[in-house]
Amino acid sequence: MQLSDVDLYNAENWVEGVPHEAFRLLREQAPVFWQEVPEADGKGFYAITKYEDLVAISKDPSTYSSWRGSTMIRDLPKEDLENTRTIMLNMDPPQHSKYRKLVSQGFTPRMTAALEPKIRKTTAEILDRVTPLGQCDFVRDIAAELPLIVIAELVGVPLEDRHKVFEWSNKLIGFDDPEFGNTEEVGKLAAAEIWMYANQLAEQRRKDPRDDLVSVLMMGEVDGEKLSEVDFDSFFLLLAVAGNETTRNLISGGMRALLEHPAEWKRLKDDPSLLNPAVEEMLRWVSPVNHFRRTVTRDTELRGQKLREGDKVVIWYPSANRDEDVFPNPMHFDVGRTPNNHVAFGIGEHFCLGANLARLEIRAIFDEVIRRMPDLEFAGPVRRLRSNFINGIKEMPVRFTPSPAVAA
Amino acid sequence: MKIIVDYDRCEANAICMKVCPEVFEVRDDDNLYLSTETPDESLRAKVMEAVRRCPRQAISVKD
């Protein structure tokens, strides 16, 4: 492979897996790489693949804006851009800091730890539904279930509605995958459905406040004003999607990595005290979010490359997480890797708000799987999501020796 | 060396405490406490690592 073969934008190049060979080449030969984009999707961008650069850009929102052109690669028409800016992901400080403070109190280590008993119990129940069967789809039956229930609980979506949220988030994220619609229209429709749903929920909580994030948001104020309907809907959309998809793909992708590295899988089973470093290694290895975009706000320079105001840069998390300058032997999956300062959750202004919660969920699942499904193995081909944005798995059939349910 | 914490940015991720427990402590109330604002020079390397690794850029150092 040579530089002229690299195309990070074309989703076709992500079907078999993350294009790690292209990333290795870019880190070595072109760490600030000009990537063309089909004209219909807007201007080309600079692909940033080194850890150090990703960190510097993430920590400098005044030069590298999330607001100016949003965080998606595709350039949006003005109206869509304005809509997307109501989502926290696409804000800059000081506006971003104000909105973030509103929700962040729901995600502190203490708040997260308080959810642990519920998460443990839910995990045991999820496994109870599959262990007697001896086979299942790891994605749908295990990995998707926990994040869905936890985020539903956290934001206050009634349990019976949680699969609606699952379908909508699939459509919203999977716009490059034919199975989920393949058109922007489908994504827009899903977003509209989530917004309508959020409004109904808000209405209920306004009348009947409860101990959930929706109620906190309803009470919340930014600059002395109550959240607008649009603000609220955007919060809901971000929490519902960000809390689902990413965790699901990390759990599926982490399980896949373990099964593809039987020595490491055995090492973890033999020594469960490795669970914490193993979770960090799964995060590094999978990097569920492939990229976010920033737009340059003033002329600057990066590794000798002049960047002009208005230029797009796209930071690639899976590449930073395999940067040879930071991680010794980066292409080796090592459940005991220490230190492991990966950037799977990003860093700086937009550092993942749910990082503590995600870690707790992942630990709960693997703790349970190790004990109850130790001989789990592939039972069919793994089907990946066709996307340059999300490192996702749609289906992963597995089999194991059946065992009875244990929870009450 | 004087440590400055932006408590508006801090979200109690406690990475500073892992890197340099001599200075940083995140207690059960989710707040960050400093054992001293002006630690000994011998801790400089650890403090600077805490500054760099804070995911929220909430810690800085003034000389």
Side-chain angles (χ1 to χ4, degrees):
Chain A
M1 183 175 229
Q2 53 191 27
L3 284 177
S4 58
D5 299 330
V6 172
D7 182 352
L8 296 177
Y9 191 68
N10 187 346
E12 211 43 54
N13 294 333
W14 293 76
V15 172
E16 294 302 315
V18 173
H20 281 299
E21 183 50 28
F23 282 134
R24 194 198 56 76
L25 197 67
L26 292 178
R27 287 193 301 273
E28 183 187 81
Q29 296 180 20
V32 183
F33 173 75
W34 178 255
Q35 170 71 61
E36 293 287 352
V37 162
E39 206 169 318
D41 293 347
K43 288 204 296 178
F45 61 84
Y46 290 101
I48 309 301
T49 45
K50 293 292 284 178
Y51 182 99
E52 188 188 349
D53 297 340
L54 179 144
V55 170
I57 289 170
S58 303
K59 286 185 169 183
D60 185 5
S62 69
T63 309
Y64 299 99
S65 167
S66 297
W67 180 84
R68 244 177 112 133
S70 94
T71 47
M72 297 296 119
I73 296 178
R74 192 175 296 168
D75 290 327
L76 298 170
K78 194 160 177 287
E79 194 192 333
D80 291 354
L81 182 60
E82 275 167 20
N83 284 337
T84 200
R85 283 171 176 164
T86 62
I87 299 174
M88 225 184 349
L89 186 71
N90 304 313
M91 292 180 191
D92 288 334
Q95 186 199 19
H96 175 260
S97 322
K98 289 178 197 160
Y99 280 84
R100 182 163 172 128
K101 249 188 111 66
L102 251 188
V103 265
S104 64
Q105 63 234 40
F107 289 92
T108 61
R110 189 167 47 110
M111 292 296 283
T112 306
L115 286 171
E116 180 158 3
K118 168 83 189 167
I119 289 175
R120 295 268 168 203
K121 182 167 173 285
T122 304
T123 308
E125 288 164 0
I126 291 168
L127 273 270
D128 273 358
R129 286 199 284 276
V130 293
T131 53
L133 305 175
Q135 58 177 6
C136 69
D137 172 10
F138 193 88
V139 178
R140 195 168 187 101
D141 299 328
I142 298 180
E145 283 291 301
L146 184 63
L148 209 54
I149 295 171
V150 170
I151 204 76
E153 170 96 7
L154 195 72
V155 299
V157 174
L159 221 52
E160 63 270 21
D161 290 345
R162 64 175 201 259
H163 284 279
K164 280 194 232 171
V165 178
F166 176 73
E167 297 300 333
W168 290 329
S169 79
N170 272 344
K171 285 183 187 160
L172 205 64
I173 294 279
F175 51 74
D176 269 339
D177 192 307
E179 188 173 331
F180 295 128
N182 205 21
T183 69
E184 241 174 283
E185 289 311 308
V186 171
K188 274 189 189 172
L189 195 65
E193 284 178 298
I194 296 186
W195 281 35
M196 262 160 54
Y197 182 79
N199 276 334
Q200 285 173 12
L201 202 62
E203 194 50 44
Q204 283 171 8
R205 289 301 185 280
R206 217 186 315 260
K207 288 187 202 141
D208 176 22
R210 295 194 203 159
D211 184 24
D212 57 34
L213 210 53
V214 172
S215 304
V216 170
L217 290 176
M218 296 310 304
M219 302 301 180
E221 292 181 353
V222 170
D223 291 335
E225 295 205 24
K226 281 258 189 289
L227 285 189
S228 69
E229 193 176 281
V230 172
D231 282 341
F232 175 80
D233 293 348
S234 298
F235 258 129
F236 185 84
L237 184 95
L238 182 63
L239 292 172
V241 175
N244 260 325
E245 197 83 24
T246 48
T247 321
R248 177 206 317 169
N249 287 320
L250 188 285
I251 293 170
S252 312
M255 190 70 244
R256 182 186 187 183
L258 287 168
L259 294 180
E260 286 178 346
H261 299 82
E264 294 298 306
W265 175 219
K266 182 172 185 307
R267 198 176 152 209
L268 176 59
K269 284 185 288 189
D270 290 347
D271 180 6
S273 76
L274 286 172
L275 188 56
N276 282 339
V279 168
E280 298 308 311
E281 182 67 343
M282 289 187 235
L283 283 159
R284 183 187 78 88
W285 191 258
V286 176
S287 290
V289 175
N290 292 325
H291 69 251
F292 279 121
R293 162 206 180 151
R294 299 290 188 264
T295 307
V296 178
T297 60
R298 57 183 171 85
D299 292 358
T300 183
E301 213 178 287
L302 186 65
R303 286 190 191 263
Q305 173 64 53
K306 287 212 168 27
L307 302 177
R308 310 273 300 267
E309 183 188 349
D311 281 348
K312 284 189 223 181
V313 298
V314 176
I315 45 182
W316 296 89
Y317 300 92
S319 177
N321 277 338
R322 299 199 187 197
D323 189 331
E324 301 75 6
D325 289 344
V326 178
F327 303 98
N329 206 355
M331 296 308 279
H332 176 57
F333 180 75
D334 171 4
V335 294
R337 184 180 289 273
T338 323
N340 189 350
N341 302 324
H342 63 76
V343 283
F345 291 121
I347 189 161
E349 194 61 33
H350 293 273
F351 176 71
C352 175
L353 203 48
N356 291 313
L357 185 59
R359 286 188 167 109
L360 183 57
E361 291 179 45
I362 301 161
R363 269 201 301 270
I365 283 276
F366 284 97
D367 189 36
E368 199 88 0
V369 167
I370 287 167
R371 281 189 295 107
R372 297 176 60 185
M373 309 164 113
D375 63 351
L376 186 121
E377 60 182 13
F378 291 126
V382 174
R383 289 176 56 232
R384 277 177 48 80
L385 182 72
R386 180 186 187 274
S387 169
N388 65 19
F389 177 48
I390 293 290
N391 183 16
I393 298 178
K394 290 192 290 193
E395 190 186 20
M396 190 165 88
V398 293
R399 64 178 153 242
F400 41 84
T401 304
S403 60
V406 296
Chain B
M1 165 171 63
K2 182 166 190 272
I3 298 176
I4 297 158
V5 175
D6 183 341
Y7 289 96
D8 268 348
R9 297 190 61 87
C10 175
E11 288 173 358
N13 287 289
I15 290 171
C16 52
M17 181 163 76
K18 273 183 213 144
V19 173
C20 185
E22 297 88 338
V23 174
F24 303 96
E25 186 193 355
V26 175
R27 293 192 195 150
D28 287 343
D29 63 0
D30 278 342
N31 288 317
L32 169 61
Y33 297 86
L34 302 183
S35 64
T36 168
E37 286 189 322
T38 52
D40 190 79
E41 274 302 311
S42 61
L43 288 169
R44 177 174 287 269
K46 279 177 145 186
V47 169
M48 293 315 289
E49 193 187 343
V51 169
R52 265 197 313 277
R53 288 199 42 210
C54 171
R56 293 283 299 142
Q57 296 165 276
I59 313 167
S60 55
V61 163
K62 211 168 108 182
D63 278 305

